[in-house]
Amino acid sequence: MVGSSHEALHRIFQKDPALLTRALQRVLHVPFPEPREIAALNVDLTEIEPVERRVDTLLRAETDEGTYLLVVESQGKADDRKRGSWPYYLSYLYEKYRCEPVLIVITQSSATAKWASRPIRLGFPGWDSLTVRPLVLGPDNVPVIADERQAERDVPLAVLSAMTHGRGPQAPAILESLATALRTIDPDSAAVFVQFVDSCLADPQAKQMWRDLMTAIQYFWRHPLAEQVRAEGREEGREEGRIEDRRQMVLNILEWRGIPVPDDARERVDTCTDLDRLEVWAQRAVHATDVSELFSGN
């Protein structure tokens, strides 16, 4: 199970390697050649003990123009040690595989993205013996995908958008669009993407909104992470607790989507004891434009 944003930010490219080249082409506008094949490689770059070095994700891309090694590093904050380790990774990989290495850094922080994008120059002033220029994906260049149709066209890119922009004010619109788009792909892949996003949402309100959305469309509960959530706030298996949980979920989704809830509608939700009906209302709340749409046909 992915337990941190660091892991999720680079493992999404293991789940869908082609997403990385699409991001290079569409987000960074790097004319990277279209791969015929992409394969994950061993990330262990250890030479001799006790030195151990590992990249986060390593992919080999076969293109008509040659073979490239795509080195993906997930970076939470500035780290001056990377001045030594990143050049090492690239030179070691070139020596081992005799393929051109490309360093891609992904981060949720604009400040970290700015730091990571600075070239690493080794040598004396005016004469660089070695220059490393990372390609950086972050909140300033990864597109904000808050449109359902756009999210459906490229679900992995929509997942990446949610992972990098989950801290911002546009998070609710991004998460709602992604929740809808996940229903268009196979459930197993959707469950993996759900976990990636959940791991990257640092804002408690955004995280709870995401879990409520996933509960409403019944994807989140396919994943083992759901056991952790079910244990929070109520004793598992209690019918009363499940009903109260669904009531709160319906109201939370409406609140986060900015839909006014009159007192009579709130009372109707608060007094409902039919779990199946509450499930229907929660699903409708994801797309409703007015609270009256929840109760249509009931």
Side-chain angles (χ1 to χ4, degrees):
M1 185 174 74
V2 178
S4 70
S5 59
H6 176 92
E7 288 294 310
L9 282 170
H10 70 86
R11 282 180 57 180
I12 186 175
F13 299 116
Q14 297 176 17
K15 171 64 179 172
D16 186 347
L19 171 63
L20 185 56
T21 57
R22 294 201 301 278
L24 294 179
Q25 295 164 350
R26 302 177 191 177
V27 178
L28 299 179
H29 305 293
V30 174
F32 191 86
E34 195 66 33
R36 296 190 308 271
E37 179 184 349
I38 299 182
L41 302 178
N42 191 329
V43 299
D44 192 346
L45 307 185
T46 304
E47 286 188 285
I48 57 174
E49 295 294 346
V51 178
E52 180 177 315
R53 299 180 187 270
R54 293 176 184 271
V55 297
D56 287 331
T57 286
L58 180 61
L59 305 171
R60 181 176 59 208
E62 303 284 352
T63 77
D64 291 335
E65 299 178 20
T67 301
Y68 296 89
L69 298 176
L70 305 179
V71 184
V72 184
E73 284 282 279
S74 174
Q75 196 68 28
K77 61 183 179 179
D79 183 354
D80 288 338
R81 292 175 299 177
K82 299 300 183 180
R83 176 178 166 83
S85 59
W86 283 346
Y88 170 85
Y89 294 164
L90 300 182
S91 59
Y92 175 84
L93 288 168
Y94 178 78
E95 179 64 21
K96 181 176 181 178
Y97 293 101
R98 291 295 170 175
C99 301
E100 297 294 339
V102 181
L103 175 61
I104 300 103
V105 179
I106 181 164
T107 180
Q108 294 177 292
S109 164
S110 294
T112 303
K114 184 177 180 180
W115 163 82
S117 64
R118 298 171 187 160
I120 299 172
R121 306 183 189 278
L122 302 181
F124 62 87
W127 192 274
D128 303 330
S129 298
L130 176 64
T131 302
V132 175
R133 298 176 59 200
L135 295 166
V136 182
L137 294 167
D140 294 330
N141 56 15
V142 172
V144 173
I145 299 180
D147 177 77
E148 292 178 8
R149 294 190 181 279
Q150 187 180 1
E152 289 173 3
R153 284 196 294 269
D154 193 336
V155 175
L157 187 60
V159 173
L160 185 63
S161 177
M163 292 163 67
T164 50
H165 295 285
R167 299 177 178 178
Q170 300 180 88
I174 295 171
L175 296 178
E176 289 169 24
S177 299
L178 178 57
T180 300
L182 286 174
R183 291 185 292 185
T184 66
I185 65 175
D186 70 276
D188 289 337
S189 293
V192 174
F193 287 143
V194 165
Q195 189 191 5
F196 285 160
V197 174
D198 189 85
S199 297
C200 288
L201 293 174
D203 178 68
Q205 189 176 29
K207 185 184 285 285
Q208 188 58 52
M209 177 186 180
W210 178 241
R211 292 181 174 183
D212 285 348
L213 287 169
M214 292 302 96
T215 303
I217 62 175
Q218 299 179 350
Y219 272 134
F220 185 72
W221 302 98
R222 293 172 52 86
H223 200 278
L225 184 61
E227 294 298 330
Q228 170 190 334
V229 181
R230 279 197 288 263
E232 295 172 359
R234 73 175 190 273
E235 181 182 348
E236 186 177 6
R238 292 182 58 189
E239 184 74 9
E240 220 175 273
R242 286 197 294 270
I243 290 173
E244 179 57 34
D245 186 58
R246 292 303 184 276
R247 289 171 181 160
Q248 193 59 49
M249 182 176 63
V250 172
L251 296 173
N252 283 345
I253 293 174
L254 293 171
E255 178 185 347
W256 289 320
R257 299 191 63 231
I259 297 175
V261 182
D263 290 343
D264 59 337
R266 185 179 299 274
E267 183 180 0
R268 186 168 179 180
V269 173
D270 282 338
T271 57
C272 181
T273 57
D274 187 330
L275 185 59
D276 291 338
R277 178 169 294 181
L278 288 167
E279 293 279 9
V280 171
W281 289 352
Q283 293 178 38
R284 291 176 179 175
V286 175
H287 302 287
T289 57
D290 186 270
V291 70
S292 62
E293 296 176 26
L294 265 65
F295 313 123
S296 177
N298 284 340

